């Protein structure tokens, strides 16, 4: 049944597939948008993940600073992922018969789905950290904040998962382009 759905989809998008195959500049533009979207989203996410993993969890202000920076990073990542998603749909539509049966393609899509779910988990963990920090005293030498907070471990674990998934997605993308 699924193969019938993909056959119907292939027929529906055939004009796009033909245009994509005939217009090198168009194909180049779609691939460039896809790669640049991945570059911006992944680069920003990896940078934020590194900041999380390197941040000292001994003080409330250190955690506040990192979590505050994440809101900006997430806005960039989500925006860049929107371009990546749109160009990814265009790439899939350019060769539905090939991509629909590719185990590498579906593995990459599973990793993308896992990355998105992990992002939701990270956002939830960040909000929990911020709530737990409300009212936490500003760190002084005399009043250290107990560390590490259980909530901070949740943020750190999502950062680790994010790093791994971004790297796997890139590798699968490279494998996919080489057949």
């Amino acid at each position: 049944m699924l193969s019938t759905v993909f056959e119907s989809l292939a027929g529906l998008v055939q004009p796009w597939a033909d245009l994509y195959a005939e217009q090198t500049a168009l194909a180049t533009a779609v691939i460039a948008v896809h790669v640049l979207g991945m570059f911006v989203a992944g680069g920003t996410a990896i940078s934020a993940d590194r900041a999380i993993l390197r941040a000292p969890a001994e003080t409330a202000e250190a955690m506040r600073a990192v979590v505050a920076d994440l809101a900006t990073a997430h806005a960039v990542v989500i925006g860049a992922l929107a371009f990546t998603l749109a160009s990814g749909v265009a790439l899939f539509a350019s060769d539905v018969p090939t991509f629909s049966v590719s185990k590498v393609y579906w593995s990459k899509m599973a990793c993308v789905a896992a990355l998105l779910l992990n992002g939701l988990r990270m956002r939830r963990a960040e909000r929990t950290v911020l709530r737990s920090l409300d009212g936490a005293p500003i760190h002084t030498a005399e009043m250290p904040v107990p560390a590490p907070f259980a909530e901070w471990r949740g943020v750190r674990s999502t950062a680790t998962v994010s790093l791994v998934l971004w790297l796997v997605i890139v590798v699968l993308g490279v494998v996919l382009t080489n057949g």
Side-chain angles (χ1 to χ4, degrees), residues 87-106:
S87 58
V89 168
L91 288 168
F92 181 82
S94 74
D95 195 356
V96 172
T98 298
F99 291 122
S100 66
V101 297
S102 170
K103 290 178 184 173
V104 174
Y105 174 80
W106 291 111

Side-chain angles (χ1 to χ4, degrees), residues 140-176:
T140 66
E142 302 83 42
M143 290 189 350
V145 175
F149 289 110
E151 295 89 355
W152 186 248
R153 284 193 301 268
V155 172
R156 289 176 61 96
S157 72
T158 59
T160 301
V161 170
S162 173
L163 272 170
V164 170
L165 286 171
W166 277 108
L167 297 174
V168 170
I169 288 167
V170 168
V171 169
L172 290 172
V174 171
V175 171
L176 192 58

Side-chain angles (χ1 to χ4, degrees), residues 57-138:
E58 296 90 25
T59 65
E61 68 269 15
M63 285 186 264
R64 272 191 197 98
V66 172
V67 172
D69 287 345
L70 292 176
T72 303
H74 283 139
V76 171
V77 171
I78 291 167
L81 281 176
F83 283 99
T84 304
L85 175 65
S87 58
V89 168
L91 288 168
F92 181 82
S94 74
D95 195 356
V96 172
T98 298
F99 291 122
S100 66
V101 297
S102 170
K103 290 178 184 173
V104 174
Y105 174 80
W106 291 111
S107 296
K108 181 180 175 187
M109 292 305 100
C111 287
V112 169
L115 183 70
L116 294 173
L117 291 173
N118 187 65
L120 291 173
R121 187 174 152 238
M122 180 181 278
R123 295 291 299 256
R124 191 174 318 121
E126 291 165 14
R127 284 191 298 272
T128 302
V129 166
L130 286 175
R131 275 194 307 274
S132 73
L133 291 174
D134 281 347
I138 297 298

